[in-house]
Amino acid sequence: MNDHPSTSDSSTQITLDKLDAAMSGVWLVISKGSQHIWNLDAMTDTRVPGAASLSGTFALDGRPIPIARVERWPRVGATSLFFFDDPTETARYEHYRQSSRIKSITRVAEIQEDGVPPKLRVDTPPEGTIPGSLKLYKAL
């Protein structure tokens, strides 16, 4: 029995309603204003703000941030909340990121093409994907 039933499951694309601590893989989480790549194998989040982001841009956007702990895992229709250590003073400061309302969660696949380093891609970019944003992500 699958504890995480997919809302869409084909040979090329898997979408879920939620992520949790028991899962693995790399996932594109699209919220109302931004996109996040949740790498559950490396436990990192990479944020790409969109034009509709009410928060605007953050200093660490576009770079994987190691997740220290997750308070609310991504779930469609809700927000996520995680904490991470300050990259310059890890022992002194902890920061958090809360997403806007999540629209979709889609598995991102790693591919290898004739000697070219693997790149992350979404086989069929979900509706609402920020154009060109997945170009930021290389194999994690």
Side-chain angles (χ1 to χ4, degrees), residues 29-36 47-57 61 99-103 128 130:
V29 177
I30 297 178
S31 67
K32 181 178 178 182
S34 299
Q35 292 180 86
H36 296 261
R47 178 180 182 265
V48 179
S53 174
L54 297 177
S55 302
T57 59
D61 283 346
S99 72
S100 52
R101 190 161 311 279
I102 295 168
K103 295 175 162 182
I130 299 167

Side-chain angles (χ1 to χ4, degrees), residues 45-47 58-65 84-85 87 97:
D45 171 74
T46 305
R47 178 180 182 265
F58 299 141
L60 301 174
D61 283 346
R63 296 188 336 205
I65 297 173
F84 62 97
D85 294 327
R97 287 236 173 124

Side-chain angles (χ1 to χ4, degrees), residues 3-139:
D3 291 334
H4 307 286
S6 63
T7 55
S8 170
D9 189 351
S10 70
S11 62
T12 60
Q13 186 170 343
I14 299 172
T15 61
L16 299 178
D17 292 325
K18 64 180 180 175
L19 299 179
D20 66 40
M23 299 176 70
S24 63
V26 182
W27 300 87
L28 172 64
V29 177
I30 297 178
S31 67
K32 181 178 178 182
S34 299
Q35 292 180 86
H36 296 261
I37 296 290
W38 279 66
N39 182 334
L40 300 181
D41 300 324
M43 280 308 289
T44 61
D45 171 74
T46 305
R47 178 180 182 265
V48 179
S53 174
L54 297 177
S55 302
T57 59
F58 299 141
L60 301 174
D61 283 346
R63 296 188 336 205
I65 297 173
I67 297 170
R69 71 185 194 297
V70 179
E71 185 70 26
R72 285 192 310 269
W73 285 87
R75 177 186 299 268
V76 174
T79 62
S80 65
L81 174 64
F82 73 90
F83 293 82
F84 62 97
D85 294 327
D86 185 284
T88 58
E89 297 192 54
T90 58
R92 293 187 62 192
Y93 299 108
E94 182 175 66
H95 302 280
Y96 70 91
R97 287 236 173 124
Q98 176 173 301
S99 72
S100 52
R101 190 161 311 279
I102 295 168
K103 295 175 162 182
S104 67
I105 301 171
T106 306
R107 181 148 181 120
V108 177
E110 287 191 84
I111 58 169
Q112 180 75 40
E113 298 176 6
D114 299 337
V116 175
K119 294 180 181 176
L120 292 178
R121 71 177 173 110
V122 173
D123 295 311
T124 306
E127 182 179 331
T129 302
I130 299 167
S133 63
L134 294 179
K135 292 177 186 173
L136 293 175
Y137 309 106
K138 295 196 170 122

